[in-house]
Amino acid sequence: LYGDVDCNGKVEIADVVLLSRYIAQDENVKTISEQGLVNADCVKDGNVDMDDATAIARYLAHLIEASELGKAS
């Protein structure tokens, strides 16, 4: 499920926060699983970065459809 960074079966703001903290190299962030990192690559460019966090946030703000997550940019 693209956008489900914490692998709980839902895409929610907690996924954006977790991914943002991971990208910022926050030492106190919980570990993201290998599957979580796959789910996080929402722009399908092979990098997990702020573009992915932005895509998830745009989905949550109803600016893009779920079908747009996980498509190559």
Side-chain angles (χ1 to χ4, degrees):
L1 178 61
Y2 286 106
D4 183 16
V5 180
D6 59 9
C7 297
N8 70 348
K10 299 178 279 189
V11 179
E12 49 200 354
I13 195 67
D15 296 300
V16 176
V17 172
L18 176 61
L19 183 55
S20 296
R21 290 180 66 188
Y22 171 83
I23 293 165
Q25 300 177 352
D26 183 342
E27 295 175 5
N28 298 315
V29 70
K30 91 174 195 183
T31 303
I32 299 177
S33 69
E34 188 174 324
Q35 183 60 54
L37 291 174
V38 170
N39 295 351
D41 189 10
C42 291
V43 296
K44 296 302 287 178
D45 62 359
N47 297 312
V48 175
D49 55 23
M50 283 308 294
D51 289 341
D52 300 299
T54 299
I56 300 167
R58 289 177 52 81
Y59 163 72
L60 291 171
H62 304 285
L63 297 173
I64 63 172
E65 298 293 322
S67 62
E68 294 183 60
L69 295 177
K71 285 190 173 179
S73 53

